[in-house]
Amino acid sequence: MSSPPSCLLVERGDGVLTLTLHRPDVLNSFNREMAQALHGALQAAADDAAVRAIVLTGAGRGFCAGQDLAEALPSDGGPMPDIGEIVKASYNPISRAIRTIEKPVLCAVNGIAAGAGANLAFACDLTIAADDASFVESFAKLGLIPDTSGTFFVPRLVGMQRATGMFFLAEKMPAPKAKEWGLIWDVVPRADLMPTVMTLARQLATQATRGFGLTKRALNASFGNTLDAQLEVEAQAMHEAGRTADYAEGVRAFLEKRTPVYRGA
């Protein structure tokens, strides 16, 4: 008998690591196994110099429907599992990994992104959705609160009133509206989704990876900094960027009027 398919498909090529959530029969909803697999893959990518961009997407007709509720129900009449512990074990490590990995993380939303799935997409650096995809902060329907960094990023992306409406009303948001509100980078026809995202990822994988990483570090710091503190962050990041081989290559290429060849270091 053949082994069951992996809950996370991993592909490499042209400096891009593609991670595909692979539980299509349940719209790629998370169980502990898939959450741990995704977190492990992101951790490994952070330390892999051959990976210079990451793409996250879903298999089948959905991106991710959030938590697999079958795992969050009591077994054999026992007590309810602690949802907070599931969040701490499964989702918090993924959100931290996406934001702290100093490489571009792109998200290709190929269908419904609900609950943790929506917030996972909003936490990525650049998110592109199919034109028939949608997002929904479904937590209120279960009496829960948004997790997977949703209460952190969504108000910063759309403002407090819109974020509160998304969280309280739990209405499905079409991808074009998500772009209009600034929740995602772009919307493309479904047939063009993966070609568009992969072209962008391959382009980013040829650029100055350390510069992207330092930019991401500065953006993360800006969420809690004063202006003076952020100016210091910028100065320190520029100090580090100015000592990279890619910066030296960029200057040489500019002076020699040629296209730079960045190595990601």
Side-chain angles (χ1 to χ4, degrees), residues 170-250:
E171 295 176 346
K172 187 178 291 186
M173 178 181 290
K177 185 174 181 179
K179 179 185 177 181
E180 177 189 342
W181 279 21
L183 285 160
I184 63 175
W185 175 247
D186 205 1
V187 177
V188 298
R190 168 169 287 277
D192 297 338
L193 178 63
M194 290 311 296
T196 299
V197 173
M198 294 307 298
T199 296
L200 179 56
R202 292 186 187 106
Q203 174 191 337
L204 294 173
T206 67
Q207 302 305 301
T209 309
R210 289 291 299 125
F212 288 148
L214 291 165
T215 299
K216 190 168 175 177
R217 189 190 303 177
L219 286 170
N220 288 339
S222 73
F223 292 131
N225 271 347
T226 63
L227 173 60
D228 284 343
Q230 190 65 17
L231 290 174
E232 287 300 316
V233 169
E234 290 178 356
Q236 178 59 35
M238 191 65 84
H239 172 72
E240 292 187 44
R243 298 171 64 184
T244 62
D246 279 346
Y247 170 67
E249 165 63 9

Side-chain angles (χ1 to χ4, degrees), residues 10-13 15-19 41-42 44-45 51-56:
V10 179
E11 298 177 74
R12 294 170 174 267
V16 179
L17 177 70
T18 303
L19 303 174
L42 291 169
V51 175
R52 296 174 62 187
I54 299 164
V55 171
L56 176 62

Side-chain angles (χ1 to χ4, degrees), residues 64-88:
C64 177
Q67 171 66 35
D68 187 341
L69 293 179
E71 189 179 70
L73 294 174
S75 57
D76 300 324
M80 288 289 288
D82 187 334
I83 300 296
E85 289 303 316
I86 293 176
V87 167
K88 289 169 66 175

Side-chain angles (χ1 to χ4, degrees), residues 31-42:
N31 59 10
R32 288 181 186 269
E33 181 187 10
M34 192 170 80
Q36 290 170 358
L38 178 57
H39 180 232
L42 291 169

Side-chain angles (χ1 to χ4, degrees), residues 50-191:
V51 175
R52 296 174 62 187
I54 299 164
V55 171
L56 176 62
T57 191
R61 60 190 179 90
F63 171 64
C64 177
Q67 171 66 35
D68 187 341
L69 293 179
E71 189 179 70
L73 294 174
S75 57
D76 300 324
M80 288 289 288
D82 187 334
I83 300 296
E85 289 303 316
I86 293 176
V87 167
K88 289 169 66 175
S90 294
Y91 301 116
N92 290 358
I94 293 171
S95 295
R96 290 191 183 100
I98 288 172
R99 293 313 311 165
T100 58
I101 188 170
E102 295 198 339
K103 301 173 184 183
V105 180
L106 290 74
C107 187
V109 180
N110 54 302
I112 184 68
N119 291 329
L120 183 66
F122 299 150
C124 291
D125 297 314
L126 291 172
T127 296
I128 299 175
D131 53 4
D132 59 351
S134 57
F135 303 85
V136 57
E137 296 284 351
S138 52
F139 303 92
K141 295 179 180 179
L142 296 172
L144 297 174
I145 77 143
D147 58 27
T148 318
S149 67
T151 61
F152 186 85
F153 286 110
V154 174
R156 286 166 169 80
L157 291 169
V158 303
M160 190 64 74
Q161 286 279 323
R162 283 177 167 176
T164 303
M166 289 174 64
F167 295 153
F168 282 11
L169 302 178
E171 295 176 346
K172 187 178 291 186
M173 178 181 290
K177 185 174 181 179
K179 179 185 177 181
E180 177 189 342
W181 279 21
L183 285 160
I184 63 175
W185 175 247
D186 205 1
V187 177
V188 298
R190 168 169 287 277

